[in-house]
Amino acid sequence: MGPGEFFIAIAALISGTIVLTPIARAWGRRIENQAKPPALPNAQQDARFDRLEQAMEAVAIEVERIAEGQRFVTKLLAERGQQGALPEGSRERSRPQS
């Protein structure tokens, strides 16, 4: 190996190091940032979660009230069905005559 080839090899190593070092650092930072666990919620996020929880509880209460009303109406309709419909003669009497 002659002196010219030696200097070419050294220049190639130095050039490769200069080019590849920033690329390797960027790649390492990218990997490092992906591996970080999510940050703990701060006070503002805690307040938002509290408001969200309260809203969900309010919606759940309203849905339960609607369901209770539906059960009540269903019960009334079932009792009305068990009692039977109006006698046929009473339907005709209730109609206005023209």
Side-chain angles (χ1 to χ4, degrees), residues 1-14:
M1 184 180 203
E5 292 176 349
F6 179 73
F7 287 118
I8 291 175
I10 296 294
L13 286 174
I14 292 173

Side-chain angles (χ1 to χ4, degrees), residues 28-41:
R29 286 184 185 139
R30 181 177 175 199
I31 291 172
E32 184 179 304
N33 287 338
Q34 288 177 350
K36 286 184 181 177
L40 295 175

Side-chain angles (χ1 to χ4, degrees), residues 12-67:
L13 286 174
I14 292 173
S15 298
T17 303
I18 290 173
V19 170
L20 294 177
T21 300
I23 293 172
R25 283 186 182 175
W27 189 29
R29 286 184 185 139
R30 181 177 175 199
I31 291 172
E32 184 179 304
N33 287 338
Q34 288 177 350
K36 286 184 181 177
L40 295 175
N42 59 22
Q44 187 179 17
Q45 288 176 335
D46 287 342
R48 289 181 69 188
F49 283 130
D50 288 341
R51 289 193 306 270
L52 181 61
E53 184 179 0
Q54 290 172 356
M56 291 295 289
E57 288 176 2
V59 168
I61 290 169
E62 292 301 319
V63 168
E64 182 59 33
R65 288 177 63 194
I66 292 169

Side-chain angles (χ1 to χ4, degrees), residues 69-84:
Q70 183 66 35
R71 285 190 290 270
F72 178 73
V73 169
T74 303
K75 180 181 172 186
L76 287 179
L77 290 174
E79 289 174 357
R80 184 176 180 192
Q82 289 174 355
Q83 292 174 356

